[in-house]
Amino acid sequence: MTEHKYTNKLIHEKSPYLLQHAHNPVDWHPWGPEAFELAKKANKPLLVSIGYATCHWCHVMERESFEDPEIAEYLNAHFVPIKVDREERPDVDSIYMKSVQAFGQQGGWPLNVFVTPDGVPFYGGTYYPSVGRYGLPSFLEVLTFLDKTWREEPEKVEKQSTALINYLKDVSKQEQNTEGTVDDLGFHGENKTREFYTQSYDRLHHGFLFQQQNKFPPSMGLSLLLRHHHRTGDALSLEMVENTLRAMKQGGIYDQIGGGLARYSTDHQWLVPHFEKMLYDNGLFVTALIETYQVTGKREFADYANDVLQYIDRDMTSAEGAFYSAEDADSEGVEGKFYVWTQEEIEKVLGRETASIAIPYYNVLPNGNWEGKNILHVKRPPEQIAKDLGLPLDHVEAKIAEAREKLLAVRSQRIRPLLDDKILTSWNGLMIRAMAQVGRVLDDADRIAKAEKALHFIWNNLRTPEGKLLRRWREGEARYDGYLCDYTSIALACCDLYEATYNPDYINKAEALMKTVEEKFGNQGAYYETASDAEELIVRQVSGYDGVEPSGNSSAAMALLKLAALTQNVDYERRAEKIFLAFSDEVTEYGINSSFMMQALHLYLGGCKQVAVRGVNSDKGLDAFWPLMRRRFFPNAVFAFSLDGDADAQRVPLLAGKESLQGKTTAYVCQHGSCLPPVTQVTELKNLVDDYRQVRD
């Protein structure tokens, strides 16, 4: 058993991130009243340091500063230090991130915020080096300056903290706008956002030039562009989606050997990633891929989606069927070490013949393409490699598959990066949705079963008998009250599982969750981020910002519209309208920050076609309806299905009272409380659902 010189209060936590810091010389406290009471008694400010287990720069700052006894001694003497896992406490992270940005700093992690004993920030930033560089003061210099300011100039601290709390309250009020009417809602925000994407499009390397150097996966934006293409026929929208998905899948940002998308690329070429892999990125990526397959019919995108999911099955799924959070970038203290190769290593593993194909395919160089080693990436498809080498295509494809299998086996013997094995509710919702969609579109019953298994784990382990969702599960412990995003992500996953299985139980589950949302998160417009009975922080936030995952309000709007269609309860639609009105200015003016909100708005403005299909087993026409319902891309419609004679049909209000005609599979398309005449031909159904003529511009 390893003996440690230092052990602090984090040793009793479950979070892998907090446990990483449990043996720092810093006297870390977990977030809670004890630390704030201690600060009040001692009249000390607190350092609230926020990060996550797979954050590379969090590791760097820990090694440089939090493991330094001299820095720790000063920090312990003059501050009360708190460590927070942002993934367990997104409410704390969000408030303090906005605070740092209000101070004129760029946000990011590690997030280091200095707060009063009342929890109000007065100074903050992200990474501080142990020795001044990059134009930044050293961490010890920052600590010394703030301690002096706290003791000698308390009026400055008071002025800064008062201004900050007023700012946060004003921002929250602005995001509770309820002015305007539904007549003001239209596709103008979607159109404007498409123009912004077009202006930012990187025509050489694909993706979008939103940042000076980095590129993040724009999966929610790509799904929005697919909807714009579907509505308008705009060819460039689809071209940007296809090219960007290919560039990511073939780039270094994608793990060419093991599968899975990294957090972001540190260059515009998609070559050098920050190597950590996050569950939410991969869930959203899979959704964009399978939707692109639906739109184009190009099998490559379905294959890409399955490749990601094979990685999730192998490395990111618990024995109980739920999904882990992330994999770290670092192993043995070195970023990317697990993933990179020398040419010599590849030749030794593969042998001459296979290596002669794998080396040009993966663009392996004798001296490497990054720090003397190779990040594998693809520039030429197998067809081009076969042509260039004068070899049969099937031989080249077989050798590439063989190379991948052998390299994966050898790589698996290396010391792996940390697996953050906590199970987060909202992130699981994203992957459940992705798997349900893939299973439905590809008629993959096993994939649907895996999505169901994960949902059942969440329902049985992260939900109390009273119906309250919890945020995190790890090592048998479920903890932290669920946030809006947890409830709405799982509610939306239930809606997708209904459309994959046609099991009405999932509608009931979604309704139960949204009932709790209304009771605990309700507001005059959009919903609060935290429940009415949750811990009271310095401000109760309302947000529609779609950051690394859809906001709770965006997912709420989508879930409410789907429930309105399936249950024929117009009250759900009215609640979604309040969300759209609350964020209408943001959606219209800066839509790239609201890409999922606009997907929900697209469903609403597209008429939210409610399609009820009653199938007849003996009717050969049923075989034609099935692929239309399950494989085609209809972002403006919700489908319900049952066979004639199925008693469960009466449990779905959209199906109730609708029967097949003349022994034929029959579809009913309803909208705005009325139904069009039923149809028995697939082409008629397609034309009715595709029709955008009754929508607002």
Side-chain angles (χ1 to χ4, degrees), residues 27 87 102 195 248 268 277 279 341 360 375 462 478 488 504 524 527 562 573 611 613 623 641 658:
D27 186 20
E87 295 166 357
E195 291 305 312
M248 289 193 292
H268 286 165
K277 298 178 186 175
L279 182 67
W341 301 83
I375 298 171
L462 282 146
T488 58
Q524 57 184 345
Y527 293 106
K562 287 179 177 284
E573 186 173 310
V611 185
V613 180
D623 292 338
F641 172 81
K658 299 178 177 70

Side-chain angles (χ1 to χ4, degrees), residues 213-215 264-268 270-274 335 370:
Q213 181 174 351
N214 302 328
K215 271 185 182 171
Y264 64 93
S265 174
T266 63
D267 55 43
H268 286 165
W270 300 109
L271 175 61
V272 181
H274 254 319
E335 184 183 12
W370 181 69

Side-chain angles (χ1 to χ4, degrees), residues 271-272 339-347 359 362-377 379:
L271 175 61
V272 181
Y339 296 101
V340 296
W341 301 83
T342 64
Q343 181 170 317
E344 183 181 3
E345 286 175 317
I346 289 176
E347 290 172 336
I359 284 173
Y362 287 121
N363 292 281
V364 176
L365 301 175
N367 296 320
N369 55 29
W370 181 69
E371 298 184 358
K373 295 194 175 182
N374 288 280
I375 298 171
L376 305 188
H377 62 292
K379 289 185 176 179

Side-chain angles (χ1 to χ4, degrees), residues 141-194:
E141 288 172 336
V142 171
L143 295 176
T144 304
F145 164 73
L146 291 176
D147 172 56
K148 186 173 185 291
T149 303
W150 177 264
R151 288 184 291 103
E152 298 180 5
E153 301 179 271
E155 69 282 355
K156 282 190 176 181
V157 174
E158 175 68 21
K159 183 178 179 181
Q160 180 83 316
S161 59
T162 300
L164 191 281
I165 196 70
N166 290 336
Y167 166 79
L168 291 175
K169 289 179 178 178
D170 287 344
V171 168
S172 188
K173 286 179 182 177
Q174 290 169 13
E175 293 181 334
Q176 297 178 49
N177 169 50
T178 55
E179 296 178 2
T181 69
V182 293
D183 292 331
D184 299 323
L185 300 173
F187 281 114
H188 40 277
E190 180 182 299
N191 295 336
K192 187 173 182 178
T193 302
R194 182 268 185 196

Side-chain angles (χ1 to χ4, degrees), residues 139-406:
F139 189 48
L140 191 55
E141 288 172 336
V142 171
L143 295 176
T144 304
F145 164 73
L146 291 176
D147 172 56
K148 186 173 185 291
T149 303
W150 177 264
R151 288 184 291 103
E152 298 180 5
E153 301 179 271
E155 69 282 355
K156 282 190 176 181
V157 174
E158 175 68 21
K159 183 178 179 181
Q160 180 83 316
S161 59
T162 300
L164 191 281
I165 196 70
N166 290 336
Y167 166 79
L168 291 175
K169 289 179 178 178
D170 287 344
V171 168
S172 188
K173 286 179 182 177
Q174 290 169 13
E175 293 181 334
Q176 297 178 49
N177 169 50
T178 55
E179 296 178 2
T181 69
V182 293
D183 292 331
D184 299 323
L185 300 173
F187 281 114
H188 40 277
E190 180 182 299
N191 295 336
K192 187 173 182 178
T193 302
R194 182 268 185 196
E195 291 305 312
F196 190 84
Y197 275 113
T198 302
Q199 293 164 11
S200 305
Y201 181 55
D202 182 348
R203 285 170 169 76
L204 179 61
H205 301 294
H206 312 296
F208 305 97
L209 301 173
F210 294 146
Q211 295 190 332
Q212 189 172 359
Q213 181 174 351
N214 302 328
K215 271 185 182 171
F216 285 80
S219 298
M220 286 185 281
L222 298 180
S223 288
L224 177 65
L225 288 172
L226 287 176
R227 284 155 175 77
H228 183 266
H229 165 76
H230 183 264
R231 176 175 64 89
T232 66
D234 177 58
L236 181 56
S237 290
L238 181 59
E239 180 184 328
M240 290 189 290
V241 172
E242 290 190 58
N243 288 340
T244 299
L245 289 173
R246 287 194 191 100
M248 289 193 292
K249 172 60 174 66
Q250 295 167 0
I253 191 174
Y254 191 81
D255 180 357
Q256 299 297 330
I257 300 304
L261 192 70
R263 179 70 195 94
Y264 64 93
S265 174
T266 63
D267 55 43
H268 286 165
Q269 292 75 41
W270 300 109
L271 175 61
V272 181
H274 254 319
F275 290 86
E276 67 266 30
K277 298 178 186 175
M278 314 301 293
L279 182 67
Y280 55 77
D281 279 322
N282 284 279
L284 293 167
F285 186 46
V286 168
T287 294
L289 288 167
I290 200 62
E291 289 183 344
T292 304
Y293 169 67
Q294 288 180 276
V295 172
T296 65
K298 295 178 180 178
R299 186 70 200 187
E300 63 182 299
F301 296 108
D303 291 341
Y304 293 168
N306 274 325
D307 195 73
V308 178
L309 293 179
Q310 287 168 13
Y311 156 68
I312 298 297
D313 291 343
R314 185 186 66 244
D315 292 338
M316 295 288 284
T317 303
S318 72
E320 300 86 357
F323 307 118
Y324 298 135
S325 296
E327 288 193 296
D328 202 351
D330 299 14
S331 55
E332 301 179 79
V334 179
E335 184 183 12
K337 183 175 182 178
F338 181 74
Y339 296 101
V340 296
W341 301 83
T342 64
Q343 181 170 317
E344 183 181 3
E345 286 175 317
I346 289 176
E347 290 172 336
K348 182 178 179 181
V349 171
L350 299 182
R352 180 180 299 177
E353 181 185 6
T354 304
S356 69
I357 294 171
I359 284 173
Y361 179 69
Y362 287 121
N363 292 281
V364 176
L365 301 175
N367 296 320
N369 55 29
W370 181 69
E371 298 184 358
K373 295 194 175 182
N374 288 280
I375 298 171
L376 305 188
H377 62 292
V378 176
K379 289 185 176 179
R380 292 174 290 171
E383 293 82 357
Q384 187 62 47
I385 296 292
K387 182 179 179 181
D388 293 345
L389 297 178
L391 295 171
L393 176 59
D394 57 352
H395 176 74
V396 168
E397 290 178 331
K399 287 298 179 182
I400 290 171
E402 177 187 327
R404 194 180 189 201
E405 184 178 343
K406 287 183 175 180

Side-chain angles (χ1 to χ4, degrees), residues 606 609 636 671 686-695:
K609 306 291 180 69
N636 59 327
Q671 188 179 18
K686 179 183 180 301
N687 291 337
L688 289 175
V689 180
D690 267 339
D691 187 2
Y692 277 83
R693 285 178 300 176
Q694 298 183 41
V695 305

Side-chain angles (χ1 to χ4, degrees), residues 513-533:
L513 291 168
M514 295 311 294
K515 181 175 184 289
T516 303
V517 165
E518 190 66 21
E519 292 170 350
K520 291 184 177 291
F521 298 84
N523 190 11
Q524 57 184 345
Y527 293 106
Y528 287 111
E529 294 292 290
T530 52
S532 55
D533 56 356

